[in-house]
């Protein structure tokens, strides 16, 4: 503190001195001018005129000097306040760019020379460069809490002390952090899974200066169960362990795999150290993608069946969001980092994913220093050691046929209460989607349940959509199996997220996410609590879309600006304003705001609104606009109908064939407003106008009773004797039906998707349904047509077709709470 005061005093004295000299100089010039004026006998008026000009000049000069002095003072104070940062920056720059390292015979000598002068500032200078480390630690901590902690009773979390945790050493996890450097990882992990809950933690690093920093850090923390091992990753030993084979529950490498020169034996050795099946291997590092997907390590792993072979070709790291790098990124970063002996060749990551079964992976870009311009590829990866004679974990499979999926069933070892069957994201039918179309389901499950008459043991095939109706069926009848099918992977990502939240969150947290559709801190919840329950694909999707729930956590730069502008212009964002359906809702609200009816629409959803009051508001304020030319034009445009509402051209043509669009709008909306309460019962239109649900007006799965019923259903299905209630298929219905035994299904709900079909498509699907459906089984569908043409196809394939309800023109009674379809049909297998 004394040095800071001395520096400040010197700065002030310097400022005062400069100011005094400047003023003295100005006075000397002014006196000299008067002397010259009197000597040359200038006229008084002329002299006075020159005097005034000089005074003005001196005033201007004095003001400039004052400003300059203030700038110097401000710069001095800023430098004083940031003296430590400047010192760190200069230390980093000198050691990285100017310091001569000399010649060294081995890697340890080179590392010691490079880090000797900057070991103490290492953590302060790598935070923005080495992204993904915290994410990797959170994921590892969540996996430990889900597996090891479930067996030992240890609860992961932050707590100090090295002797905490459960009594006795048996069962407590062992962690080996390879290339741990200064111990930053271990200190951070204490926030997510207390260091005191580990039996022992080993930090292995070859660099002596970094190891000294780590030792000082752990001594200050008082952790007696942490040991620093300054040895090579290929030959280290762990004090206190008789054998290394299967000794570790967790092994991590944080930006160290890319620095290991001979990485093959190191990865093999770490695989032996890790416990089979339950052990977790975590890696965060830079990478560049390869130019080919061919595998080059077949000699290390021999495939035993079609499922494993397909998995070996299509690895999660290769076929996931953001893996592939463009040519410039691949070439530039690989050669740039090689100057510092950091190697990014794709073979390192490929071999890692070949030796271990991939469990979670996230491919990101570090927008370092200059966002959008500088993008350094990095990845966060979690894997498990699987015995060579076992089928890989389902999360690491990426197969293309339902038959192969059947063979891989034995490899799905994690019991959750549901199964996300593997799929290949690169197939065209899946790759075309980068988000979900429907953030909410637009069919009324109340009518479905009446027609289905679900019984224990029923085996249903349903289209996933947003998963709302599948959850409603399971909440109504717990002892059923649901095959949730969707070609769009993102629709299954959404349902999988809901299932994971049902297992891990309490009701209030669940409501915030899916009732209100907005929740702060979703990014942290995703990493710390939900990640063990999600497939790698679903985790990657939600990691890239944490802003879906309206929070700003994890956003920055342009993404945050876009969200802020959108919220200002179109209202608050949240889950139900995402996807194509969300785009439609935000467009609707923008138009309602422009026309001045948005407040009226939201008033209709408020609790206590009577049916007569609702009808009055509709007729007085909204009907004219909704049935006006603009809304009719909106619905009469096939491009808008597809892009915003997901209505394809075939279905749009069926709508047009039933009458004019103005008639369709009238027959859809008028009965709903007159007969259903938007405040207390009709949660579909409540969501449309309020952009969220209320506790009294929401889907069944969002009620307290429905939440508790579903949670118990998943827990029961997670038991040893239980079987999954939900099976999530990212595939076509034809592919799923092809993998079923004849008569395996008892019920199917195919929504309106056959409106999209050609005659050939309809014939193929109905024929497959007839083969898989048990005698007496039923198929439900809705249609935009009162008499859908494909009803005859069902009849020709052995079904008896009955119309449950058909909407007539100018009707006053809705078919259901949505009332957007012209008919509702049931086909019974004879």
């Amino acid at each position: 503190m004394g040095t800071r005061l001395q520096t400040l005093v010197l700065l002030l004295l310097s400022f005062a001195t400069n100011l005094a000299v400047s003023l003295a100089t100005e006075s000397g010039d002014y006196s000299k001018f008067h002397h010259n004026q009197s000597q040359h006998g200038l006229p008084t008026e002329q002299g006075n005129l020159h005097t005034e000009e000089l005074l003005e000049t001196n005033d201007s000069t004095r003001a400039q000097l004052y400003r300059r002095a203030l700038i110097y003072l401000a710069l001095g104070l800023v430098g004083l306040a940031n003296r430590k940062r400047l010192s760190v920056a200069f230390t980093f720059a000198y050691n990285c760019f100017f310091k001569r390292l000399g010649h060294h015979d081995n890697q340890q000598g080179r590392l010691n020379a490079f880090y000797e002068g900057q070991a103490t500032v290492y953590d302060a200078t790598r935070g923005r460069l080495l992204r993904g480390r915290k994410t990797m630690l959170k994921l590892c901590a969540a996996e430990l809490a889900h597996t090891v902690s479930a067996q030992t009773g240890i609860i992961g979390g932050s707590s100090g002390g090295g002797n905490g945790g459960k009594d006795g050493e048996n069962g407590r996890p062992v962690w080996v952090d390879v290339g741990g450097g200064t111990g930053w990882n271990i200190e951070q992990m204490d926030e997510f899974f207390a260091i005191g809950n580990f039996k022992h933690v080993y930090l292995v690093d070859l660099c002596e200066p970094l190891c000294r920093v780590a030792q000082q850090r752990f001594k200050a923390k008082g952790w007696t169960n942490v040991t620093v091992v300054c040895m090579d990753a290929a030959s280290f030993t762990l004090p206190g362990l008789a054998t290394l084979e299967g000794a570790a529950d967790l092994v991590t490498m944080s930006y160290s795999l890319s620095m290991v020169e001979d990485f093959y034996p190191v990865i093999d050795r770490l695989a032996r150290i890790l416990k089979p099946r339950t052990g977790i291997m975590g890696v965060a590092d830079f990478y560049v993608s390869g130019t080919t997907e061919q595998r080059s390590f077949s000699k290390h792993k021999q495939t035993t069946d079609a499922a494993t072979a397909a998995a070996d070709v299509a690895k999660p790291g290769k076929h996931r969001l953001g893996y592939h790098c463009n040519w410039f990124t691949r070439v530039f970063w690989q050669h740039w980092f090689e100057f510092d002996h950091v190697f990014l060749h794709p073979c390192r990551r490929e071999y890692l994913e070949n030796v271990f079964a991939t469990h979670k992976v996230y491919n990101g870009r570090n927008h370092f220093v200059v966002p959008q311009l500088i993008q350094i590829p990095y990845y966060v990866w979690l894997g498990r050691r699987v015995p060579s004679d076992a089928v890989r974990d389902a999360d690491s499979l990426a197969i293309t046929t339902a038959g192969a999926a059947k063979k891989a069933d034995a490899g799905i070892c994690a019991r959750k209460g549901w199964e996300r069957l593997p799929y290949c994201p690169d197939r065209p039918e899946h790759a075309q989607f980068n988000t979900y179309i429907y953030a909410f389901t637009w069919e009324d499950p109340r009518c479905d349940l009446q027609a289905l008459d679900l019984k224990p043991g029923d085996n249903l095939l349903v289209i996933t959509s947003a998963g709302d109706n599948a959850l409603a069926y399971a909440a109504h009848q717990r002892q059923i199996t649901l095959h949730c099918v969707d070609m769009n992977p993102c629709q299954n990502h959404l349902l999988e997220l809901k299932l994971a939240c049902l297992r891990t969150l309490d009701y209030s947290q669940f409501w915030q996410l899916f009732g209100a559709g907005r929740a702060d801190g979703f990014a942290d919840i995703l990493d710390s609590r939900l990640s063990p329950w999600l497939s790698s694909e679903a985790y990657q999707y939600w990691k890239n879309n944490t802003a879906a729930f309206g929070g700003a956590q994890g956003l920055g730069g342009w993404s945050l600006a876009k969200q802020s502008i959108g919220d200002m212009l179109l209202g608050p964002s949240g889950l139900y304003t995402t996807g194509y359906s969300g785009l439609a809702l935000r467009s609707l609200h923008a138009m309602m705001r422009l026309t001045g009816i948005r407040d009226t629409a939201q008033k209709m959803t408020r609790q206590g609104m009577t049916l007569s009051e609702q009808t009055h508001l509709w007729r007085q304020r909204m009907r004219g606009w909704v049935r006006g030319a603009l809304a009719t034009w909106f619905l009469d445009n096939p491009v808008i109908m597809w892009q915003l509402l997901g209505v394809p051209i075939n279905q749009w043509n069926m709508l047009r064939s039933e009458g004019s669009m103005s008639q369709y709008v009238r027959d859809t909306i008028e009965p709903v407003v007159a007969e259903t309460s938007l405040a207390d019962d009709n949660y579909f239109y409540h969501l449309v106008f309020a952009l969220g649900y209320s506790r009294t007006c929401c889907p069944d799965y969002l009620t307290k009773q429905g939440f508790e019923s579903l949670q118990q259903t998943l827990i029961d299905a997670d038991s040893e004797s239980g079987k999954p209630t939900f099976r999530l298929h990212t595939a076509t219905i034809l592919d799923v039906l092809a993998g079923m035994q004849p008569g395996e299904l008892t019920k199917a709900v195919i929504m309106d998707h056959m409106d999209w079909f050609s005659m050939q498509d309809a014939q193929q699907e109905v024929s497959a349904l007839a083969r898989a459906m048990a005698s007496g089984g039923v198929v439900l569908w809705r249609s935009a047509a009162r008499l859908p043409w494909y009803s005859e196809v069902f009849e020709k394939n052995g079904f008896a077709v009955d119309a449950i309800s058909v909407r007539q023109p100018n009707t006053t009674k809705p078919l259901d709470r949505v009332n957007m379809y012209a008919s509702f049909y049931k086909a019974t297998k004879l």
Side-chain angles (χ1 to χ4, degrees):
M1 188 64 183
T3 304
R4 292 186 178 182
L5 286 176
Q6 291 173 10
T7 306
L8 179 59
V9 170
L10 289 173
L11 284 169
L12 292 174
L13 287 173
S14 176
F15 166 70
T17 303
N18 287 332
L19 181 61
V21 171
S22 299
L23 292 175
T25 303
E26 291 173 23
S27 300
D29 289 343
Y30 182 63
S31 301
K32 185 177 180 180
F33 173 80
H34 271 290
H35 176 71
N36 292 336
Q37 177 183 335
S38 61
Q39 270 191 337
H40 294 286
L42 293 174
T44 305
E45 291 183 2
Q46 185 179 1
N48 291 338
L49 179 61
H50 280 280
T51 302
E52 291 176 2
E53 291 176 353
L54 181 60
L55 287 173
E56 290 177 2
T57 302
N58 287 338
D59 289 341
S60 176
T61 302
R62 186 181 294 110
Q64 290 178 4
L65 289 169
Y66 281 142
R67 285 195 296 268
R68 189 177 302 168
L70 288 174
I71 290 172
Y72 290 153
L73 179 60
L75 289 175
L77 292 174
V78 169
L80 180 65
N82 294 275
R83 186 183 57 170
K84 185 175 181 180
R85 290 186 181 180
L86 291 173
S87 174
V88 167
F90 287 138
T91 301
F92 169 77
Y94 170 72
N95 284 275
C96 288
F97 305 117
F98 302 105
K99 179 182 175 182
R100 294 178 61 86
L101 297 180
H103 176 73
H104 300 279
D105 295 331
N106 54 46
Q107 186 182 21
Q108 185 175 32
R110 185 172 63 250
L111 289 173
N112 289 343
F114 182 73
Y115 287 111
E116 182 64 47
Q118 58 170 315
T120 56
V121 301
Y122 181 91
D123 294 331
T125 56
R126 264 61 172 193
R128 295 183 62 188
L129 179 63
L130 308 182
R131 293 293 179 90
R133 293 181 296 171
K134 274 195 174 183
T135 297
M136 184 265 288
L137 293 172
K138 284 182 179 180
L139 295 180
C140 291
E143 292 294 339
L144 285 174
H146 182 58
T147 55
V148 177
S149 300
Q151 300 169 10
T152 63
I154 300 172
I155 304 298
S158 177
S159 67
N163 300 314
K166 191 177 179 182
D167 293 337
E169 294 297 305
N170 293 330
R172 297 171 64 196
V174 173
W175 174 20
V176 181
D177 187 23
V178 180
T182 64
W184 184 91
N185 282 350
I186 295 172
E187 183 178 69
Q188 292 297 313
M189 175 65 94
D190 191 50
E191 298 180 14
F192 315 128
F193 192 94
I195 297 303
N197 285 336
F198 285 96
K199 177 181 179 181
H200 211 97
V201 178
Y202 296 93
L203 184 153
V204 180
D205 202 286
L206 190 60
C207 180
E208 294 175 355
L210 297 182
C211 286
R212 287 196 295 269
V213 174
Q215 289 171 335
Q216 294 170 3
R217 168 177 265 145
F218 301 148
K219 182 178 180 180
K221 290 287 184 180
W223 290 332
T224 58
N225 61 335
V226 181
T227 301
V228 176
V229 180
C230 191
M231 297 181 68
D232 193 313
S235 58
F236 66 86
T237 58
L238 301 180
L241 294 181
T243 177
L244 296 184
E245 181 70 29
D249 299 274
L250 174 64
V251 176
T252 55
M253 299 186 77
S254 175
Y255 287 90
S256 55
L257 178 59
S258 57
M259 298 182 69
V260 177
E261 293 181 341
D262 191 6
F263 63 91
Y264 291 106
V266 171
I267 292 177
D268 288 339
R269 189 163 190 262
L270 296 181
R272 293 192 297 271
I273 291 174
L274 195 65
K275 285 184 178 179
R277 295 191 180 277
T278 60
I280 295 293
M281 176 75 182
V283 177
D285 213 330
F286 301 118
Y287 83 99
V288 294
S289 62
T291 58
T292 177
E293 297 302 328
Q294 294 179 355
R295 311 295 293 173
S296 57
F297 307 109
S298 58
K299 64 180 181 180
H300 295 281
K301 297 289 178 182
Q302 298 297 324
T303 57
T304 57
D305 54 51
T308 310
D312 219 24
V313 173
K315 291 287 182 145
K318 302 295 180 288
H319 297 281
R320 301 303 183 263
L321 296 173
Y323 169 74
H324 292 287
C325 305
N326 59 45
W327 176 86
F328 177 79
T329 298
R330 290 197 308 268
V331 174
F332 178 79
W333 290 119
Q334 184 172 340
H335 289 85
W336 174 270
F337 279 107
E338 281 182 2
F339 286 116
D340 292 325
H341 299 276
V342 175
F343 306 101
L344 306 189
H345 192 279
C347 61
R348 292 172 181 262
R349 183 172 174 182
E350 286 179 353
Y351 191 64
L352 176 74
E353 293 180 340
N354 187 75
V355 171
F356 295 92
T358 298
H359 184 61
K360 290 286 185 302
V361 62
Y362 170 72
N363 302 303
R365 298 293 183 272
N366 182 356
H367 302 282
F368 187 64
V369 181
V370 184
Q372 307 307 323
L373 181 61
I374 297 180
Q375 300 185 41
I376 309 175
Y378 72 94
Y379 70 105
V380 175
W381 180 91
L382 266 64
R384 294 184 186 276
R385 173 188 170 189
V386 178
S388 58
D389 59 344
V391 180
R392 292 181 182 276
D393 189 288
D395 284 336
S396 68
L397 295 177
I399 52 184
T400 58
T401 64
K406 284 287 185 182
K407 293 183 180 181
D409 280 353
I412 303 175
C413 58
R415 298 190 310 274
K416 305 174 183 178
W418 70 90
E419 293 173 354
R420 177 73 184 267
L421 296 181
Y423 70 100
C424 181
D426 280 354
R427 290 183 65 175
E429 62 266 33
H430 308 317
Q432 63 180 310
F433 300 104
N434 58 15
T435 187
Y436 38 81
I437 296 176
Y438 308 105
F440 48 90
T441 302
W442 199 240
E443 282 83 13
D444 193 344
R446 183 181 293 171
C447 298
D448 294 353
L449 288 168
Q450 293 172 354
L452 287 170
D453 188 25
L454 294 174
K455 298 289 193 300
D458 269 338
N459 201 6
L460 278 76
L461 181 144
V462 302
I463 295 175
T464 303
S465 187
D468 299 355
N469 286 11
L471 292 170
Y473 305 151
H476 181 79
Q477 176 54 259
R478 289 169 53 181
Q479 299 177 12
I480 61 175
T481 299
L482 286 151
H483 296 270
C484 303
V485 185
D486 213 297
M487 272 198 321
N488 185 342
C490 305
Q491 298 290 168
N492 278 333
H493 297 338
L494 180 56
L495 176 56
E496 194 177 352
L497 180 70
K498 291 178 179 179
L499 293 170
C501 290
L502 280 165
R503 281 305 310 261
T504 58
L505 305 183
D506 59 36
Y507 177 63
S508 62
Q509 294 169 320
F510 188 78
W511 172 264
Q512 281 301 121
L513 287 172
F514 302 108
R518 294 178 60 86
D520 293 330
F522 172 71
D524 184 63
I525 294 173
L526 177 67
D527 288 342
S528 301
R529 302 186 61 182
L530 302 178
S531 59
W533 301 91
L534 294 172
S535 65
S536 183
E537 295 87 351
Y539 171 77
Q540 283 186 92
Y541 177 82
W542 290 112
K543 183 69 175 176
N544 283 309
N545 291 277
T546 54
F549 292 93
Q553 184 184 14
L555 292 182
W558 177 235
S559 298
L560 182 59
K562 284 195 299 184
Q563 179 171 302
S564 300
I565 293 171
D567 290 352
M568 180 177 63
L569 296 177
L570 303 176
S573 60
L575 175 64
Y576 299 113
T577 60
T578 59
Y580 285 88
S581 61
L583 179 60
L585 287 190
R586 300 198 86 171
S587 301
L588 174 64
H589 276 254
M591 289 190 292
M592 290 195 301
R593 178 173 291 181
L594 288 172
T595 54
I597 64 170
R598 186 168 181 264
D599 291 342
T600 301
Q602 294 188 333
K603 186 176 181 180
M604 292 168 63
T605 66
R606 294 174 187 167
Q607 192 171 3
M609 176 69 60
T610 65
L611 204 57
S612 60
E613 291 172 335
Q614 172 181 293
T615 305
H616 176 75
L617 284 173
W618 165 259
R619 291 174 179 172
Q620 292 295 316
R621 297 293 308 278
M622 294 189 64
R623 181 164 62 179
W625 180 83
V626 173
R627 294 178 61 178
L630 180 61
T632 302
W633 172 85
F634 185 89
L635 295 174
D636 210 20
N637 187 311
V639 176
I640 293 177
M641 289 290 280
W642 169 242
Q643 292 295 331
L644 296 186
L645 299 179
V647 177
I649 188 66
N650 287 353
Q651 190 172 47
W652 181 80
N653 287 328
M654 294 176 75
L655 283 172
R656 291 291 304 270
S657 67
E658 296 293 331
S660 67
M661 278 300 170
S662 60
Q663 180 70 40
Y664 171 78
V665 172
R666 184 261 165 225
D667 290 344
T668 298
I669 305 297
E670 292 284 350
V672 167
V673 176
E675 297 292 331
T676 67
S677 171
L678 275 59
D680 300 319
D681 183 45
N682 194 328
Y683 63 80
F684 301 96
Y685 289 94
H686 184 106
L687 175 67
V688 168
F689 293 148
L691 298 179
Y693 298 112
S694 71
R695 298 294 179 114
T696 59
C697 193
C698 60
D700 293 346
Y701 78 94
L702 284 173
T703 64
K704 184 70 177 297
Q705 181 180 357
F707 171 83
E708 292 174 348
S709 175
L710 285 167
Q711 195 172 63
Q712 190 59 49
T713 296
L714 295 176
I715 292 173
D716 292 344
D718 192 16
S719 64
E720 291 286 351
S721 58
K723 65 176 184 178
T725 299
F726 297 87
R727 292 176 65 87
L728 278 59
H729 304 260
T730 305
T732 65
I733 289 180
L734 278 177
D735 284 341
V736 176
L737 291 174
M740 290 185 171
Q741 297 298 319
E744 184 175 339
L745 283 180
T746 60
K747 310 281 170 59
V749 183
I750 59 175
M751 296 184 173
D752 65 327
H753 92 119
M754 293 197 71
D755 280 0
W756 305 23
F757 280 4
S758 66
M759 176 61 78
Q760 181 180 358
D761 294 334
Q763 178 59 47
Q764 288 179 335
E765 184 163 305
V766 174
S767 175
L769 279 168
R771 187 192 70 85
M773 188 65 64
S775 179
V778 301
V779 181
L780 301 183
W781 73 85
R782 290 174 171 81
S783 176
R786 287 188 285 273
L787 297 173
W789 56 268
Y790 47 83
S791 295
E792 294 181 0
V793 180
F794 276 93
E795 292 173 341
K796 291 178 180 179
N797 281 273
F799 288 91
V801 178
D802 298 299
I804 297 174
S805 54
V806 178
R807 192 176 76 186
Q808 300 301 325
N810 299 315
T811 183
T812 59
K813 297 292 183 181
L815 295 187
D816 52 33
R817 290 173 290 182
V818 177
N819 200 41
M820 290 195 71
Y821 298 99
S823 60
F824 182 29
Y825 279 83
K826 177 173 76 171
T828 305
K829 177 72 180 298
L830 299 176

